[in-house]
Amino acid sequence: MPLNARILNLMEEVRSGRCSPEEAADQISGLRLEEIAGVARIDLGRSIRCGIPEVVLAEGKDTSHLVEIMRRYVEASGRCVASRATPDQADAIKKAAPDLICEYYRDARIVILSNGTEKPVNSGTVGIITAGTSDIRVAEEARIIAEEMGCRTLTAYDVGAAGIHRLFPALQTLLDADAYVVCAGREGTLPAVVAGLVGRPVIGVPVSVGYGYMGKGEAALASMLQSCAVLTVVNIDAGFTAGAFAAQIASGVQRE
């Protein structure tokens, strides 16, 4: 079983005297929970326990609650990620936390708030591919999450099955990837095609692009689930899940 790189780094800090055993035990604890404003119970130990950052879903949240949750995460771990954030929410976070670094990725709809703590670095590489330009918003969510988990990312966008000749030269630039995230709407063909061409795990992401019968990603989801090629499929528009899963695979491959 691959060892958690963050725990290994923490143990190295204990050995060098930069961190006490008590502080390390507190960070590793799987029950580092905190209640905020009577509305949230945040998991402060997920990142070091699972290797996946605890991502805050901004969609539907009261802005004041969102800001308070993100601030507490930054205090605990140095960085916090919020997904599905609107430009107005991003502006509110920047104004409410002028002492912190706030980055907003409009295409990905992700806000990253930090106190300057760098994200982890590992040697895993994730390839991210889209069928069309309408799929980029979901692909960018996957890309930002994979990079936040320390992976290098390579991208090839707008190379779908409707013009399949675009795929082959683009794929040549992604052959170093340890895992692939492939986003497609409409009939969702591309992940199965890619899975038949590469020797690494492929994660298919159906995108809510399409209309009429089984539109909004439903046909893409059904198509990917029926793939003859071997691939894993996540839910419609689940860029975060795909990016995190691909990063886990990629970092695990490199540790092995």
Side-chain angles (χ1 to χ4, degrees):
M1 179 179 178
L3 294 173
N4 186 310
R6 294 197 64 180
I7 292 179
L8 287 175
N9 290 338
L10 189 59
M11 294 300 97
E12 180 58 37
E13 290 190 5
V14 171
R15 183 167 64 178
S16 66
R18 296 192 303 271
C19 177
S20 73
E22 292 78 14
E23 290 171 332
D26 181 60
Q27 289 193 50
I28 294 170
S29 171
L31 297 176
R32 297 181 66 214
L33 305 176
E34 182 170 320
E35 185 172 331
I36 291 184
V39 297
R41 289 179 174 83
I42 62 174
D43 182 356
L44 299 175
R46 184 184 301 273
S47 179
I48 197 161
R49 187 179 70 244
C50 302
I52 298 174
E54 175 74 355
V55 174
V56 180
L57 178 65
E59 189 173 70
K61 276 189 176 55
D62 179 271
T63 301
S64 63
H65 293 160
L66 177 62
V67 170
E68 192 168 354
I69 290 168
M70 294 189 74
R71 267 193 171 278
R72 181 63 192 102
Y73 269 122
V74 173
E75 289 172 8
S77 62
R79 301 177 68 83
C80 181
V81 181
S83 66
R84 305 298 170 94
T86 66
D88 287 344
Q89 285 176 315
D91 288 340
I93 293 166
K94 286 181 181 179
K95 290 176 183 176
D99 54 319
L100 299 175
I101 301 167
C102 184
E103 303 168 273
Y104 182 51
Y105 298 88
R106 183 177 293 269
D107 288 344
R109 297 177 292 172
I110 281 179
V111 175
I112 298 177
L113 192 67
S114 78
N115 59 10
T117 299
E118 294 292 330
K119 56 194 170 188
V121 177
N122 65 59
S123 54
T125 301
V126 175
I128 301 175
I129 302 171
T130 74
T133 53
S134 296
D135 308 318
I136 290 175
R137 59 188 172 85
V138 176
E140 282 293 286
E141 183 177 273
R143 181 182 69 82
I144 298 298
I145 294 300
E147 290 180 355
E148 191 66 16
M149 291 175 61
C151 286
R152 180 174 70 117
T153 60
L154 304 170
T155 61
Y157 293 163
D158 196 27
V159 294
I164 198 66
H165 54 288
R166 300 173 296 178
L167 174 62
F168 304 110
L171 201 55
Q172 288 291 325
T173 66
L174 273 65
L175 292 180
D176 288 340
D178 302 301
Y180 295 86
V181 173
V182 185
C183 305
R186 304 297 293 258
E187 83 288 359
T189 305
L190 190 61
V193 174
V194 173
L197 294 172
V198 300
R200 294 292 187 186
V202 173
I203 301 156
V205 188
V207 179
S208 56
V209 173
Y211 49 85
Y213 177 67
M214 292 192 73
K216 299 182 179 179
E218 293 181 7
L221 174 59
S223 174
M224 293 179 199
L225 290 172
Q226 291 287 357
S227 170
C228 291
V230 175
L231 69 150
T232 292
V233 184
V234 299
N235 209 344
I236 296 170
D237 290 344
F240 160 70
T241 305
F245 189 33
Q248 280 189 312
I249 293 170
S251 59
V253 165
Q254 290 301 319
R255 283 198 297 270
E256 288 294 322

